Amino acid sequence: MHPKYTLIIGGAASGKSAFAEELVVATGKSRKYFATSQVFDQEMRSKVDRHLVQRGAGWDTIEEPLEPGPALSALSETDVCLFDCATMWLSNQMLAGADLEAAQYRLLDAIRACPAQLVMVTNEVGHGIVPDNALARQFREAQGRLNIALAAEADLVVLVTAGLPLVLKGQLP
């Protein structure tokens, strides 16, 4: 049986998105891709294009950088949704000057209310050095708090490092 809500966590370019995609495909359900990124430059366009090629056909894309609630609640029990990723969502919130605590509450509420099976990707940012500027330190702290809250809600939490999954909570299907 596939868990209702799975959190995939790992460093940048760790293989977490590819692993999450494999989990989603294995469900056999109608696949939805919830994209949180905003394309502001060519580097990000290239990254988005690589992810599109990596996923291949058979995915419906939902683009929502700030407020996931309405789109997640519109999904069905016959869907599985890959939310990629919570880190970009948090970056968007910070760039928009949002109240991070309120935004996090809304995100967690949206996860709880989502009728579809959900696989969420997030970055682990606490394994590096202490950032040298206040904004980067604020982001690292906010991402750490968000990851703790996301993991607490999840049925399954998997850390992906060097493309290798390590189950932290729950069991892989």
Side-chain angles (χ1 to χ4, degrees), residues 14-173:
S14 63
K16 62 191 176 300
S17 291
F19 181 76
E21 290 164 11
E22 291 173 14
L23 289 180
V24 167
V25 169
T27 68
K29 293 182 172 184
S30 174
R31 298 186 303 254
K32 310 297 181 190
Y33 184 85
F34 195 104
T36 60
S37 66
Q38 298 181 82
V39 177
F40 293 122
D41 57 33
Q42 186 53 46
E43 182 273 333
M44 188 53 134
R45 169 54 45 207
S46 296
K47 182 175 181 172
V48 167
D49 290 344
R50 280 192 313 274
H51 274 256
L52 285 168
V53 169
Q54 178 181 305
R55 275 195 311 277
W59 294 80
D60 294 322
T61 301
I62 303 161
E63 295 181 9
E64 177 48 60
L66 292 169
E67 292 300 332
L72 289 178
S73 67
L75 298 174
S76 125
E77 291 180 4
T78 61
D79 295 326
V80 59
C81 180
L82 173 52
F83 188 108
D84 198 359
C85 78
T87 305
M88 289 301 257
W89 172 86
L90 178 62
S91 295
N92 297 338
Q93 297 296 324
M94 290 184 76
L95 289 171
D99 175 335
L100 297 183
E101 187 176 333
Q104 179 175 307
Y105 177 82
R106 288 191 308 276
L107 176 61
L108 293 170
D109 196 43
I111 291 168
R112 290 181 202 112
C114 181
Q117 188 177 344
L118 184 63
V119 177
M120 182 173 286
V121 174
T122 191
N123 282 27
E124 171 54 61
V125 297
H127 289 164
I129 61 171
V130 175
D132 69 347
N133 66 79
L135 180 60
R137 288 189 299 275
Q138 179 189 9
F139 176 79
R140 184 190 64 171
E141 291 300 315
Q143 185 68 60
R145 286 190 303 274
L146 177 61
N147 287 346
I148 290 167
L150 292 173
E153 293 288 328
D155 304 303
L156 172 64
V157 179
V158 180
L159 172 67
V160 178
T161 300
L164 301 173
L166 174 64
V167 175
L168 303 177
K169 177 182 178 182
Q171 293 183 333
L172 286 170

